[in-house]
């Protein structure tokens, strides 16, 4: 099926770029301004997204809905879509556990909607070969989503198997990738507390180049995103425990990211400020 009208719930930094790829493929993209922030409104206007008055209009106009939102909101968004009677293709592209995807599937059961499990890896799609959208679920629905983004900066990759597989892959990658930032921050904070931070950065640059431990500017990039990463870590902890694994790594990373919520979307925050937050100091006390 050709999806001429696509809805996005909600166009944050990642969602807006995903919506842009759907528009580049020739679709009209709609969004729901109701209850959204001024920043979200500016993003939607910048990309030329079309406003829908309410969820009922969004679900009536669109044959495909993309949910790209913070993990903690994913289930609630699915409930809103189900209540509105949506019967098209619903792509949950959030960083949620396979268990959460099962709950979302239960919410949509009986509505007529086809659920596609999506997992986005990489940064917002602004350049070729940087960002992938992994997909799993019913073959026909997955094929439609794959066709929608074929040839765009968002590379669709279909996984064989049911809903839950794309989410498992996404969280498996995020566990390694994002927990490495928390681990680097904790290591740097320990070194800072003992006055050997510069020495740690020197040895990391020698032995572990191109890692968050060796590059403070890369570590600083975690600060503005920590408000999203913290609930993602909780999803990872749940997924690990469901598989019989300890979830303590992810719990600890969530606690680390939780200390940086005040820096939401603040691209000026420094690694020194983040370390100060971990140590409970003012920035000038933490170097």
């Amino acid at each position: 099926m050709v999806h001429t009208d696509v809805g996005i719930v909600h166009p944050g930094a990642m969602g807006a770029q995903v919506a842009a790829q759907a528009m580049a493929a020739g679709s009209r993209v709609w969004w729901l301004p109701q209850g959204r922030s001024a920043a979200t409104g500016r993003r939607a206007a910048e990309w030329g997204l079309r406003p829908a008055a309410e969820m009922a209009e969004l679900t009536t106009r669109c044959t495909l809905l993309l949910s790209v939102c913070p993990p903690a909101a994913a289930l609630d968004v699915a409930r809103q879509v189900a209540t509105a009677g949506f019967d098209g293709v619903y792509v949950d592209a959030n960083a949620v556990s396979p268990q959460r995807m099962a709950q979302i599937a239960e919410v949509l059961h009986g509505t007529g909607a086809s659920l596609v499990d999506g997992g986005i890896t990489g940064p917002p799609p602004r350049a070729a070969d940087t960002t992938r959208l992994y997909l799993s679920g019913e073959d026909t629905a997955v094929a439609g989503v794959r066709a929608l983004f074929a040839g765009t900066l968002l590379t669709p990759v279909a996984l064989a198997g049911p809903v839950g597989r794309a989410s498992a892959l996404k969280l498996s990658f995020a566990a390694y990738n994002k927990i490495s930032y928390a681990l680097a921050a904790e290591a740097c904070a320990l070194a800072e507390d003992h006055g050997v931070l510069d020495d740690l950065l020197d040895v990391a640059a020698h032995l572990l180049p191109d890692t968050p431990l060796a590059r403070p500017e890369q570590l600083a990039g975690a600060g503005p995103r920590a408000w999203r990463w913290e609930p993602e870590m909780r999803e990872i902890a749940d997924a690990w425990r469901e598989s019989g694994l300890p979830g303590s790594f992810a719990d600890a990373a969530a606690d680390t990211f939780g200390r940086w919520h005040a820096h939401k979307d603040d691209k000026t925050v420094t690694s020194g400020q983040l370390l100060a937050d971990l140590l409970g100091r003012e920035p000038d006390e933490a170097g």
Side-chain angles (χ1 to χ4, degrees):
M1 178 179 183
V2 177
H3 296 287
T4 304
D5 289 275
V6 173
I8 181 78
V9 191
H10 295 282
M14 177 65 79
Q17 292 285 347
V18 170
Q21 301 315 305
M23 292 178 66
S27 294
R28 292 184 291 264
V29 180
W30 300 80
W31 76 295
L32 191 62
Q34 190 177 56
R36 308 314 302 164
S37 69
T40 302
R42 287 192 295 271
R43 265 191 300 265
E46 176 185 352
W47 290 106
L49 308 188
R50 303 174 183 225
E54 56 187 0
M55 182 63 79
E57 181 184 358
L58 192 71
T59 57
T60 299
R61 286 185 178 277
C62 301
T63 58
L64 184 147
L65 286 184
L66 292 157
S67 176
V68 186
C69 65
L75 185 57
D76 184 56
V77 169
R79 289 188 180 116
Q80 294 174 33
V81 168
T83 300
F86 182 63
D87 61 0
V89 174
Y90 183 74
V91 184
D92 187 290
N94 301 306
V96 297
S97 67
Q99 295 73 40
R100 190 78 64 207
M101 281 302 303
Q103 292 176 324
I104 290 169
E106 182 62 27
V107 164
L108 294 173
H109 180 71
T111 63
S114 297
L115 175 61
V116 173
D117 180 12
I120 301 173
T121 60
R126 300 186 182 95
D129 299 323
T130 61
T131 312
R132 293 182 178 183
L133 172 61
Y134 288 94
L135 304 163
S136 68
E138 192 272 321
D139 288 347
T140 301
V142 167
V145 181
R146 188 178 183 184
L148 171 64
F149 290 107
T152 72
L153 298 180
L154 180 62
T155 303
V157 180
L159 300 174
V163 162
R165 295 199 77 199
S167 286
L169 177 60
K170 160 67 177 177
L171 290 197
S172 297
F173 177 76
Y176 181 85
N177 184 44
K178 293 173 182 173
I179 290 176
S180 68
Y181 283 84
L183 183 58
E186 296 284 351
C188 287
L190 175 63
E192 173 62 34
D193 195 39
H194 289 271
V196 293
L197 178 58
D198 288 343
D199 302 282
L200 174 64
L201 296 177
D202 178 67
V203 71
H206 177 59
L207 296 176
L208 299 172
D210 301 321
T211 67
L213 186 63
R215 301 177 62 186
E217 74 281 1
Q218 192 177 87
L219 179 59
R225 297 175 285 180
W227 68 277
R228 290 188 288 108
W229 287 8
E230 186 269 338
E232 189 172 338
M233 293 301 107
R234 305 294 183 194
E235 293 287 327
I236 290 170
D238 289 345
W240 276 348
R241 292 190 177 100
E242 184 69 21
S243 292
L245 300 166
S248 51
F249 283 143
D251 286 331
D255 292 342
T256 296
F257 294 139
R259 296 196 184 191
W260 297 340
H261 278 204
H263 305 300
K264 177 181 178 181
D265 298 333
D266 177 11
K267 295 182 179 179
T268 67
V269 69
T270 65
S271 60
Q273 175 67 69
L274 300 183
L275 298 187
D277 291 344
L278 294 183
L279 292 167
R281 302 175 181 175
E282 293 300 319
D284 58 342
E285 295 180 76

